[in-house]
Amino acid sequence: MINYSVDNFANLVDNSNNSTVIEVAFYILSIFITCLIFISLFVMVVVYIERKVAAAFQCRVGPNRVGWKGILQSVADLLKLLTKEKITPLYSDKFLHFISPMLCISASFMTLLIVPFSPHIQIINIDMGILYWSAISSLGILGILLAGWSSYNKWSLISAVRAASQLISYELSIILSILTMIIFTNTLNIQKIVLSQLNGCWIWRGHVVTLIAFIIFFIASIAELNKIPFDLPEGESELGAGFHTEYSGMQFAFFFLAEYVNLFITSTIIVILFLGGWLPWHISGFSIFNELMDSIPPIMWLLLKVSMIIFIIMWIRWTLPRLRIDHLILLEWKFLLPTSLANMVLASFLVLNNLYFYV
Amino acid sequence: MKEHANIIVAPRIKPESTIGFIYKTVLSLKGGLMSTLKYFFKSVFVSTITMEYPENKHRIKIADRFRAKLVLISKNLSSPHKCTGCKVCEKTCPNKSIYIMSHKGISQKIELKNFIWRLDACTFCNACVIACPFDALTFKNNFEQAVYDRRLLIYNLNRYIGPPQSYFKKNTAKENSVVLLKPYEKISLQEILGKC
């Protein structure tokens, strides 16, 4: 077994106590630019893949005219969005209308700080990583709510209210399934959560309990991401385009970007909690296979697992129809919440008696 | 006490148990997900159903009954057709996209001079084809009708001016059919636009 030592960029500054203000500012700026480049590249790739996958699910071809197999389609879309005019509705609240896309995108950017790409590539390794994620990721709803409120458009307002009610409901199940996993891992630090799975991923180790927690977390995270079948805030047939109806050009692109960054980070959290983060998958007994798996770098493992989760989300998106609002709320309060509470009690029973595998 | 009439209670659907409901839901979700996954693998590894038009120009197959262009049934533009110039199609046409010019020809009866059809006004409803008492009209499936000038969408369907095919069954003299072929006259646009 490889001995992984956890390290991160933040330690470089912390260790040298005599670092000047300019050094710290340069450090923050470099992190920001790195995040920006990573996110814009990632979103362009994911949008292209999403369109291709959606096409495949519907027996279509998808984008195939711009570049080889349409590979430059996202670049063309980005250029189109950059050159479009920014339109503000006449009676809208100008200030709130201006800042709400930025609130949305900054909430997504702040969650990116704690994503562990590998034992060494992580911006800040804080002790309450998973709590930080759950706190900051729900800040994004503020941007959505303000966007709906300030647009002076009743459909936008309805959409924003729906988004808020959906988030408030499903945040409960997310927190409860995170708590279930924390009972097993005994830590809130994300790197330590990953390292606790050296003997095996939590999804296999906790009998049925962690599997149920995984399913609940997965459903609730799809609802938080406003993806089909829980895309009520953006229901085209009912609300136009929802809260971003009145936005155009770069402001719309901010919402779009925030949506895909949230998709990435939520999938990463699923991977970290249940599927072992950047750790390679092993099969006990097959030593050659295990060494082969070890040779793949950890960052590739993380991206592989995340892309697997994103594919499943896309698969569900292009299969299931949209839920009605009362069914959505009913599913959470009458089914997911009691199940996750009972699941948490079961988990604490398992942990107290050391009944899970590979203790 | 009064006797009550027999009360018929409508059968109520028995509410499902929660476990049964979850089981059914999971089964139906699995069915849906599996069927889309089948489509996914089919379109990744076998083929999609999209026809990429300009590339597949040579092997594209359009259904025979697809209505794209109205034609008078004849061997070519300058050979005898079945039209007698009775103007039934012109009267049937709901948006007046057909205009028929006729004259008294060599057979001492009404004969077709110009069959004018406006593609830009036509809705392809097939009423003219159904109404024609001599089965002289049909729709063809050559769909590439785009032009750069909309005046070019006004078609003259015949080059042959003369008696219909039925005339030659009675009068088999060969010289008649040869003599009667004429080049068609030019018509001004104003005349057509005034009529249809």
Side-chain angles (χ1 to χ4, degrees):
Chain A
M1 193 68 72
I2 300 171
N3 194 14
Y4 292 104
S5 64
V6 175
D7 196 4
N8 58 65
F9 295 145
N11 291 351
L12 298 176
V13 174
D14 291 341
N15 294 341
S16 54
N17 291 322
N18 52 356
S19 56
T20 59
V21 179
I22 297 168
E23 275 175 11
V24 174
F26 180 74
Y27 165 74
I28 291 170
L29 196 73
S30 64
I31 282 175
F32 181 73
I33 289 167
T34 317
C35 282
L36 203 69
I37 290 167
F38 170 75
I39 282 305
S40 36
L41 281 176
F42 172 81
V43 170
M44 282 207 287
V45 171
V46 166
V47 168
Y48 172 72
I49 290 170
E50 161 129 42
R51 291 177 71 173
K52 275 289 186 191
V53 167
F57 275 123
Q58 297 176 339
C59 295
R60 293 187 281 116
V61 180
N64 65 343
R65 300 283 148 156
V66 191
W68 180 76
K69 299 252 180 194
I71 212 154
L72 295 173
Q73 183 67 51
S74 324
V75 182
D77 286 346
L78 186 79
L79 285 176
K80 186 204 77 176
L81 281 175
L82 279 170
T83 52
K84 265 196 163 185
E85 187 193 355
K86 183 172 83 73
I87 299 165
T88 316
L90 184 59
Y91 295 107
S92 67
D93 191 327
K94 299 280 189 307
F95 177 67
L96 291 183
H97 193 265
F98 178 69
I99 62 160
S100 49
M102 295 176 190
L103 272 174
C104 235
I105 189 96
S106 55
S108 306
F109 259 71
M110 280 162 76
T111 46
L112 203 69
L113 295 181
I114 50 118
V115 172
F117 290 98
S118 79
H120 306 292
I121 306 173
Q122 189 190 16
I123 295 165
I124 304 167
N125 186 16
I126 48 176
D127 276 342
M128 297 195 296
I130 203 95
L131 185 69
Y132 174 85
W133 171 76
S134 60
I136 299 294
S137 70
S138 42
L139 265 183
I141 197 68
L142 193 64
I144 290 173
L145 202 55
L146 285 180
W149 170 256
S150 62
S151 290
Y152 201 73
N153 178 341
K154 53 193 163 194
W155 308 124
S156 298
L157 185 61
I158 291 171
S159 147
V161 172
R162 276 185 181 183
S165 68
Q166 191 172 320
L167 183 111
I168 288 165
S169 307
Y170 280 85
E171 194 71 26
L172 279 167
S173 319
I174 282 207
I175 297 291
L176 280 173
S177 36
I178 286 176
L179 275 177
T180 314
M181 293 320 295
I182 284 164
I183 290 169
F184 281 101
T185 56
N186 201 18
T187 175
L188 288 167
N189 188 320
I190 283 188
Q191 292 284 14
K192 282 178 189 165
I193 290 173
V194 175
L195 286 173
S196 72
Q197 301 175 61
L198 270 171
N199 296 326
C201 304
W202 280 116
I203 193 167
W204 312 121
R205 279 166 71 188
H207 299 286
V208 197
V209 174
T210 42
L211 193 66
I212 291 170
F214 171 75
I215 290 164
I216 289 169
F217 193 95
F218 196 78
I219 293 170
S221 58
I222 292 172
E224 286 229 333
L225 292 166
N226 298 337
K227 289 273 176 197
I228 294 172
F230 305 106
D231 73 326
L232 290 152
E234 290 165 42
E236 289 92 353
S237 51
E238 300 153 18
L239 300 171
F243 56 87
H244 55 65
T245 311
E246 302 290 354
Y247 285 89
S248 59
M250 254 347 256
Q251 288 188 317
F252 167 72
F254 278 171
F255 280 121
F256 196 68
L257 212 63
E259 195 184 315
Y260 278 90
V261 176
N262 283 338
L263 176 70
F264 170 71
I265 289 164
T266 314
S267 318
T268 317
I269 295 294
I270 294 174
V271 165
I272 286 159
L273 283 176
F274 299 97
L275 301 174
W278 41 259
L279 286 169
W281 278 345
H282 286 166
I283 300 171
S284 58
F286 295 85
S287 60
I288 299 165
F289 175 80
N290 292 351
E291 278 171 29
L292 202 73
M293 294 289 109
D294 281 335
S295 65
I296 299 171
I299 187 161
M300 288 308 293
W301 269 111
L302 185 97
L303 292 178
L304 205 80
K305 289 171 183 176
V306 166
S307 54
M308 199 180 77
I309 295 287
I310 290 177
F311 176 78
I312 294 170
I313 291 176
M314 284 175 188
W315 179 16
I316 289 169
R317 180 177 176 184
W318 294 104
T319 303
L320 303 179
R322 185 183 305 135
L323 258 70
R324 221 167 63 193
I325 184 80
D326 58 330
H327 288 172
L328 178 93
I329 301 297
L330 193 126
L331 173 73
E332 164 60 25
W333 292 97
K334 280 196 171 175
F335 180 67
L336 292 185
L337 185 63
T339 316
S340 46
L341 275 170
N343 198 33
M344 207 172 83
V345 174
L346 257 174
S348 48
F349 175 77
L350 284 187
V351 172
L352 282 175
N353 296 300
N354 283 334
L355 278 174
Y356 56 93
F357 302 120
Y358 309 119
V359 178
Chain B
M1 249 180 83
K2 273 186 179 177
E3 274 189 34
H4 291 286
N6 287 333
I7 298 164
I8 300 163
V9 181
R12 295 277 165 93
I13 297 161
K14 200 182 167 188
E16 274 182 300
S17 64
T18 316
I19 306 270
F21 177 72
I22 292 167
Y23 179 69
K24 268 189 181 176
T25 312
V26 169
L27 270 192
S28 71
L29 285 180
K30 188 192 150 232
L33 287 169
M34 282 302 141
S35 72
T36 46
L37 195 66
K38 203 176 72 191
Y39 290 137
F40 178 78
F41 284 121
K42 194 186 159 196
S43 48
V44 168
F45 295 111
V46 188
S47 68
T48 53
I49 57 166
T50 309
M51 291 190 181
E52 291 171 79
Y53 164 59
E55 283 88 6
N56 70 354
K57 215 169 183 175
H58 307 294
R59 52 203 154 82
I60 194 165
K61 274 198 172 179
I62 302 294
D64 289 337
R65 296 196 301 170
F66 183 77
R67 299 172 202 154
K69 196 183 178 185
L70 190 66
V71 287
L72 278 170
I73 298 169
S74 61
K75 274 181 187 171
N76 51 51
L77 274 176
S78 44
S79 63
H81 46 68
K82 292 180 187 170
C83 184
T84 56
C86 68
K87 296 190 182 180
V88 170
C89 48
E90 190 187 315
K91 282 163 195 158
T92 320
C93 186
N95 42 6
K96 293 201 171 185
S97 60
I98 293 171
Y99 171 46
I100 283 166
M101 297 161 80
S102 53
H103 64 135
K104 201 163 233 185
I106 200 92
S107 60
Q108 303 304 314
K109 283 179 180 174
I110 297 289
E111 284 170 10
L112 179 70
K113 201 172 156 198
N114 292 92
F115 194 110
I116 289 154
W117 172 60
R118 291 186 60 181
L119 192 149
D120 53 347
C122 186
T123 59
F124 307 95
C125 66
N126 214 25
C128 49
V129 176
I130 294 164
C132 184
F134 301 99
D135 293 335
L137 287 168
T138 188
F139 268 106
K140 271 197 170 180
N141 64 352
N142 47 345
F143 65 100
E144 287 156 322
Q145 305 280 8
V147 287
Y148 281 103
D149 189 341
R150 64 181 181 147
R151 285 173 296 185
L152 295 174
L153 292 172
I154 301 168
Y155 284 87
N156 193 337
L157 297 188
N158 63 315
R159 192 179 286 258
Y160 165 80
I161 302 166
Q165 282 179 358
S166 54
Y167 176 79
F168 297 108
K169 283 177 187 167
K170 291 166 194 167
N171 311 288
T172 45
K174 203 180 178 186
E175 59 270 21
N176 275 350
S177 64
V178 177
V179 169
L180 289 170
L181 282 167
K182 285 182 197 170
Y184 67 90
E185 298 161 26
K186 285 190 174 175
I187 322 152
S188 72
L189 192 68
Q190 293 301 320
E191 194 186 341
I192 297 166
L193 293 178
K195 292 281 165 44
C196 60

